[in-house]
Amino acid sequence: MITCVDRTLDMELVSPVGTRLPVPTHLLYRSQDPLVVEFLFHGLAPSPVSWIISRELLARGTLAPSGEGDVRVWPTGTGPGALLHVLLTPPGGSAHLVAPLPALAQWLFRTYRLVPAVREAEALDLDSHLDRLLNESP
């Protein structure tokens, strides 16, 4: 049984003056945690930098500007050259990344084939998470 959908994608870090630096990125979606996707950015630090984003926010951002606070996502352009912008603003800085929208949307579609939006709650398995939390030793 397939439990994850992953893909390596070349994103680009956009500097304040508009220059772009390639950032190899590993996208990871796990059916056990169906509400989120993980971005693993390579080459920005000695070890990969992980960022968790709501799958729904990412999906909405492929169509129109979405998000507020630490994560904002919006599309630009059309066709094969369209881009998806991801603005991450943790305390102490920000990172503006772009990805080829068609490739990211295709990967995102595969996540919805694995766990449709209407079945996210079923796949979440809250009982197991709660049991683990209540039975952990301090």
Side-chain angles (χ1 to χ4, degrees):
M1 171 191 258
I2 297 173
T3 61
C4 80
V5 178
D6 68 336
R7 173 167 188 166
T8 300
L9 187 67
D10 288 328
M11 294 186 76
E12 295 177 319
L13 180 64
V14 182
S15 78
V17 295
T19 57
R20 294 182 179 183
L21 173 70
V23 179
T25 305
H26 184 203
L27 306 175
L28 184 59
Y29 176 79
R30 297 175 188 91
S31 63
Q32 300 87 346
D33 199 0
L35 300 176
V36 299
V37 297
E38 182 177 13
F39 284 67
L40 287 161
F41 302 110
H42 298 271
L44 297 176
S47 59
V49 175
S50 173
W51 199 277
I52 305 296
I53 298 176
S54 156
R55 181 171 73 155
E56 179 185 2
L57 171 63
L58 191 59
R60 282 187 285 130
T62 64
L63 303 172
S66 301
E68 54 187 56
D70 288 356
V71 180
R72 295 187 182 154
V73 184
W74 68 95
T76 57
T78 59
L83 295 173
L84 183 70
H85 297 257
V86 178
L87 180 62
L88 307 173
T89 55
S94 67
H96 176 190
L97 295 125
V98 293
L101 180 56
L104 197 137
Q106 181 183 40
W107 172 80
L108 193 57
F109 178 75
R110 289 177 48 219
T111 74
Y112 281 103
R113 282 199 331 233
L114 179 61
V115 179
V118 296
R119 299 198 54 216
E120 288 172 336
E122 295 170 28
L124 193 52
D125 193 11
L126 290 174
D127 291 335
S128 293
H129 291 293
L130 185 57
D131 186 53
R132 224 175 326 140
L133 179 67
L134 294 175
N135 293 314
E136 282 184 0
S137 300

